[in-house]
Amino acid sequence: SVQRRSSSRCGTGTLAGAGDAMDPEVEARLEEAKTSADIRAVLAEMRRDPPPSAVVIQAACDALFRIVEHSPTQTRQLLGAKGVEAVCDAMCQHAQNVDVQQDGCALLWRVAQLGGQYGAKAVADRGGYEVLEAILRNFPEGSGPNEAAMLALTVLEDHKMVSFGEEKEKNRSTSRRKGRPFASFHVRPQSRSPMGRERVSFRH
């Protein structure tokens, strides 16, 4: 389990809309936005009121991932459009949905990686730390979301946003968010392994 001394704005969420089929019009808009690399159009779908279903959020995260996947320029555009905030808010709204959490983590991982120090700091400061922490609390070790969250945290660690320090004889690690009370995470070696998505390669 996760031992924390800081409050998180990201709770357990709900499964509302997890099994819904996507509206064909929404699907078409997301596909068009992905093809044209229109980050703001994707974010507009995520910010609709009432909040979109989990299937829409998952598709939006996937679209954003594909837009920024190989482009530091697009990553900066996502950061400038407050994309990290939108993704983290959506992940909190669907905190128990496996696909949303895994695709959201993949996106946060890539943004932190391609955005350099600025991108990593943005992920940590704009809600990413809280959602990653919530995933480690809500999903068991070895699950897709838990593995994906740990991979994203390793990038934050690379940029000194988070530090891991092992506690002897307990096989535990302490993650200290810069400037915040610490949270203790249970870490195992496989946490640095690929998350099982062919489109993502890791070099940890």
Side-chain angles (χ1 to χ4, degrees), residues 39-61:
I39 288 173
R40 292 185 182 278
V42 178
L43 293 176
E45 295 297 332
M46 299 180 75
R47 291 167 172 156
R48 288 187 181 277
D49 189 20
S53 66
V55 68
V56 173
I57 293 301
Q58 185 273 330
C61 287

Side-chain angles (χ1 to χ4, degrees), residues 80-96:
K82 298 186 182 298
V84 169
E85 292 91 328
V87 170
C88 291
D89 285 345
M91 290 174 72
C92 282
Q93 291 167 7
H94 300 282
Q96 296 294 330

Side-chain angles (χ1 to χ4, degrees), residues 130-186:
E130 287 82 0
V131 297
L132 295 173
E133 182 185 32
I135 288 170
L136 297 189
R137 184 174 65 250
N138 295 335
F139 292 89
E141 292 177 26
S143 65
N146 189 292
E147 295 280 296
M150 285 305 309
L151 285 164
L153 283 166
T154 60
V155 179
L156 300 187
E157 180 189 25
D158 290 342
H159 290 281
K160 304 187 187 314
M161 297 293 111
V162 171
S163 62
F164 293 96
E166 294 185 0
E167 295 178 14
K168 294 181 180 180
E169 301 179 357
K170 292 185 179 180
N171 191 31
R172 299 183 66 85
S173 291
T174 297
S175 171
R176 181 180 294 278
R177 170 73 171 81
K178 297 292 185 180
R180 296 191 184 184
F182 72 84
S184 296
F185 300 133
H186 193 73

Side-chain angles (χ1 to χ4, degrees), residues 22-85:
M22 195 185 316
D23 184 301
E25 292 184 4
V26 175
E27 186 174 9
R29 289 197 299 266
L30 284 173
E31 187 62 33
E32 181 180 355
K34 180 170 63 176
T35 301
S36 60
D38 190 342
I39 288 173
R40 292 185 182 278
V42 178
L43 293 176
E45 295 297 332
M46 299 180 75
R47 291 167 172 156
R48 288 187 181 277
D49 189 20
S53 66
V55 68
V56 173
I57 293 301
Q58 185 273 330
C61 287
D62 179 75
L64 290 173
F65 181 94
R66 293 175 186 277
I67 291 171
V68 306
E69 185 176 7
H70 302 297
S71 175
T73 298
Q74 294 286 13
T75 298
R76 289 192 294 271
Q77 290 185 12
L78 177 67
L79 291 169
K82 298 186 182 298
V84 169
E85 292 91 328

